[in-house]
């Protein structure tokens, strides 16, 4: 299922100017903090091209003459519009989004960008998390932003511009028709004269166009009206032509006859990777991310993205990662071209015998295994555990990347920690002799466990600067930890709140915190 996000920047021109002003020298005569508008010449007069939030709140709108606009706001700051700079800025914003969110991105002039997020949600766990991160980072640039995602580009474009919300709007799969039905006909990206003519005929909402006979309208307004409608409804394809930085290593293959099988894709991927690796060798870099684009005969472009934990120029390894994802490609009527792009590369020293089979390789190739697992299950599913300074066990475990360099500090070998710890300690019923005897029996989740061996206590004092981690625990509470072994061989980690003697040190309740391998 295709998912397209429309990022709408309603005040792109003025927001960009303000950001540019903030980076300019103090004596720059650029606009300050008042209402701001840009203007373009129009038959001997100046017409408002774009306005910021403050100017719009005063009733100033694009298309209004500068003279009239100043009657609404005498202190209005008017700057000449920079359409070329606006277009270049949108392109840079799209390229930034392409490095972080999805391989298929494109400007949507004059005030937006497209992002095809199909298959990319797993990088952020969910689609909503991806959109939330995109919204937060774009707003942090000082830009006003509205985002919508839907099955079709036309629906996402319409919702982003006509549904006011302070957060990204997600149209659930299959609901794009319902989402646009009540929107105004202007949301279909029709020209103003067409919109006005349709309104005179009584058409106000898109649902009226959906149900109306097509022949009379097509005869009067041409094919463009229903082309936009069908694109929004998903009846016609609307391809997004992606943009890439010029300097990126890339390779492309076009085909005399379209291809549509995984085997054919795999063979072409091998050729593309070989070409890209040659370019990487010349610049002394290794690939960290690769995007393979599949250009369908109907104009649609699909993409698969893979990443590596460390820079790589191993053609066999990179091709294997890409081939593992070709099953997600829907060829439709066939693929007429394929493009491989390396959007992220890092310096990599040359190695003797590079490009040959690594005969005599010693030890396991951990990076290759990490790459395969990460691209299959997602980056958030693979990590290693490391020590983090903290008095309480649940706050002394960090989760760095799988191939992150080892930390200098580590846990004390004399005080082992369980291989598996619960997200939150769970209460248990325990029979034990106070103050320091290990438990003889405990009941957890309704099941009774007889303890055959026990070791402890290991006493930990609470962190006075933060709240406790379990119910009834205070910052000053003492925890006494015990390692216990049951008759079937299982080993668990239990603790008691309190020292077993003084009530002020804790309520003497017991919890289970983890299990040893």
């Amino acid at each position: 299922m295709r998912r397209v996000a429309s990022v709408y920047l309603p005040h792109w021109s003025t927001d960009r100017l303000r950001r540019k002003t903030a980076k300019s020298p103090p004596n720059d005569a650029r606009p300050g903090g008042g209402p701001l508008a840009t203007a373009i010449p129009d038959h001997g007069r100046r017409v408002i091209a774009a306005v910021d939030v403050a100017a719009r709140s005063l009733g100033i709108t694009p298309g209004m003459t500068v003279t009239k606009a100043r009657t609404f706001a005498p202190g209005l700051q008017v700057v000449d519009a920079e359409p070329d700079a606006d277009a270049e800025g949108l392109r840079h914003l799209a390229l930034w989004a392409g490095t972080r969110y999805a391989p298929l991105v494109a400007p949507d002039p004059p005030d937006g960008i497209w992002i095809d997020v199909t298959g990319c949600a797993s990088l952020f766990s969910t689609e909503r998390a991806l959109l939330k991160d995109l919204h937060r980072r774009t707003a942090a640039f000082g830009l006003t932003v509205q985002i919508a995602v839907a099955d079709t580009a036309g629906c996402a474009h319409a919702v982003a511009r006509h549904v006011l919300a302070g957060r990204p709007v997600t149209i659930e799969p299959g609901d794009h028709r319902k989402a646009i039905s009540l929107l105004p006909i202007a949301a279909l990206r029709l020209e103003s004269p067409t919109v006005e003519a349709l309104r005179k005929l009584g058409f106000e909402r898109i649902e009226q166009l959906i149900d109306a006979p097509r022949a009379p309208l097509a005869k009067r307004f041409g094919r463009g009206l229903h082309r936009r409608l069908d694109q929004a409804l998903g009846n016609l394809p609307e391809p997004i032509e992606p943009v890439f930085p010029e300097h990126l290593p890339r390779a492309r293959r076009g085909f005399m006859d379209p291809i549509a099988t995984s085997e054919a894709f795999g063979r072409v991927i091998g050729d593309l990777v070989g070409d890209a690796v040659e370019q990487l060798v010349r610049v002394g870099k290794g690939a960290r991310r690769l995007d393979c684009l599949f250009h369908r005969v109907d104009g649609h472009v699909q993409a698969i993205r893979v990443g590596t934990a460390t820079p790589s120029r191993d053609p066999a390894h990179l091709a294997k990662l890409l081939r593992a994802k070709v099953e997600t490609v829907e060829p439709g009527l066939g693929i007429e071209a394929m493009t491989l792009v390396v959007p992220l590369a890092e310096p990599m020293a040359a190695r003797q015998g590079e490009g040959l089979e690594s005969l005599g390789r010693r030890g396991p190739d951990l990076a290759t295994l990490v790459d395969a697992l990460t691209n299959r299950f997602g980056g958030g599913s693979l990590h290693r555990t490391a020590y983090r300074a903290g008095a309480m066990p649940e706050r002394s475990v960090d989760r760095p990347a799988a191939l992150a360099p080892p930390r200098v500090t580590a846990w004390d070998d004399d005080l082992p920690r369980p291989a598996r710890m619960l997200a939150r300690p769970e209460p248990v019923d325990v029979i034990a002799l106070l103050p320091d005897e290990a438990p003889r029996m405990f009941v957890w989740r309704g099941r009774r466990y007889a303890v055959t061996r026990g070791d402890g206590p290991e006493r930990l004092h609470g962190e006075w600067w933060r709240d406790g981690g379990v119910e009834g625990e205070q910052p000053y509470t003492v925890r006494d930890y015990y390692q216990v072994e049951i008759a079937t061989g299982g080993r668990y980690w239990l603790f008691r709140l309190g020292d077993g003697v003084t009530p002020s040190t804790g309520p003497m309740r017991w919890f289970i915190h983890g299990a040893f391998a």
Side-chain angles (χ1 to χ4, degrees), residues 75-335:
L76 177 68
Q77 301 174 76
V78 181
V79 180
D80 289 339
E82 301 176 344
D84 292 339
D86 288 342
E88 185 64 18
L90 280 179
R91 183 175 183 276
H92 284 296
L93 186 64
L95 292 175
W96 165 80
T99 62
R100 181 170 180 83
Y101 299 104
L104 297 180
V105 296
D108 180 22
D111 49 18
I113 62 174
W114 298 111
I115 306 178
D116 191 329
V117 297
T118 306
C120 299
S122 60
L123 299 175
F124 293 81
S125 71
T126 64
E127 185 177 85
R128 293 181 185 274
L130 184 153
L131 298 177
K132 183 178 179 181
D133 185 87
L134 173 61
H135 188 279
R136 177 178 61 84
R137 291 179 180 273
T138 307
F141 292 155
L143 304 175
T144 307
V145 59
Q146 296 171 205
I147 302 174
V149 63
D151 293 347
T152 67
C155 178
H157 187 281
V159 172
R161 286 154 178 78
H162 292 84
V163 176
L164 298 180
R167 54 179 177 76
V169 179
T170 300
I171 305 303
E172 296 299 328
D175 288 348
H176 52 282
R177 182 188 180 104
K178 177 181 177 182
I180 65 172
S181 293
L182 298 180
L183 297 181
I185 54 176
L188 290 177
R189 295 171 288 169
L190 302 173
E191 296 182 357
S192 298
T194 302
V195 173
E196 291 302 322
L198 286 168
R199 284 175 176 168
K200 290 179 181 179
L201 294 176
F203 292 96
E204 295 288 341
R205 299 185 304 276
I206 294 177
E207 64 178 352
Q208 295 172 296
L209 283 177
I210 295 175
D211 298 330
R214 293 199 168 199
L217 292 176
K219 185 176 181 180
R220 178 168 181 177
F221 298 102
R223 298 180 178 179
L225 171 61
H226 291 108
R227 178 173 61 86
R228 286 301 192 189
L229 178 61
D230 286 337
Q231 285 176 339
L233 294 175
N235 299 329
L236 278 181
E238 185 172 0
I240 295 176
E241 190 62 34
V243 294
F244 306 101
E246 297 296 332
H247 65 277
L248 292 184
R250 72 180 70 190
R252 181 181 174 91
R253 291 287 190 279
F255 315 121
M256 295 290 293
D257 297 315
I259 61 176
T261 64
S262 299
E263 293 77 11
F265 296 156
R267 288 193 296 270
V268 177
I269 284 174
D271 295 338
L272 294 174
V273 169
D275 293 348
V277 166
E278 290 180 3
Q279 299 175 47
L280 290 170
V281 171
R282 287 197 295 267
V283 297
K285 292 185 176 182
R288 286 294 312 278
R289 185 179 298 153
L290 297 97
D291 295 332
C292 190
L293 281 63
F294 298 79
H295 305 265
R296 296 194 337 189
V297 295
D298 61 3
H300 271 302
V301 180
Q302 299 183 64
I304 56 176
R305 167 169 285 186
V306 298
T308 61
T310 58
S312 174
R313 289 197 295 255
D314 184 349
H317 174 54
L318 298 177
K320 183 178 180 180
L321 295 178
L322 289 166
R323 289 177 181 132
K325 288 197 169 186
V326 296
E327 297 296 337
T328 63
V329 177
E330 298 178 3
L333 297 177
I335 303 298

Side-chain angles (χ1 to χ4, degrees), residues 475-494:
Y476 51 81
T477 301
V478 169
R479 291 188 190 181
D480 279 348
Y481 277 88
Y482 294 84
Q483 299 178 43
V484 298
E485 184 175 323
I486 62 176
T488 56
R491 297 174 61 229
Y492 298 92
W493 209 35
L494 310 180

Side-chain angles (χ1 to χ4, degrees), residues 339-462:
T339 303
L340 181 66
V341 184
V342 186
L344 181 60
E346 294 180 356
M348 181 179 179
R351 295 178 299 181
Q352 185 176 3
E354 189 170 28
L356 303 175
E357 293 295 331
S358 54
L359 299 176
R361 176 181 291 169
R362 298 180 180 179
D365 190 352
L366 186 58
T368 300
L369 175 61
V370 169
D371 292 344
L373 295 176
T374 299
N375 286 285
R376 181 173 181 180
F377 299 108
S381 302
L382 199 65
H383 59 270
R384 65 190 302 174
T385 57
Y387 173 78
R388 180 174 62 188
M392 294 294 104
E394 62 268 26
R395 291 189 282 270
S396 64
V397 179
D398 202 2
R399 297 171 60 178
L403 294 180
R407 306 276 179 86
V408 176
T409 55
W411 288 290
D412 188 345
D413 292 338
D414 295 332
L415 300 173
R417 296 293 183 256
R420 300 182 62 186
M421 292 179 60
L422 299 175
R424 289 186 61 85
E426 297 182 10
V428 292
D429 295 326
V430 170
I431 294 179
L433 296 177
L434 297 180
D436 293 331
E437 290 291 329
R440 303 290 179 85
M441 182 275 297
F442 65 94
V443 179
W444 178 38
R445 297 179 179 177
R447 184 176 177 182
R448 183 186 300 268
Y449 297 88
V451 176
T452 57
R453 297 179 58 186
D455 186 22
E458 174 192 349
R459 180 159 297 175
L460 301 178
H461 293 271

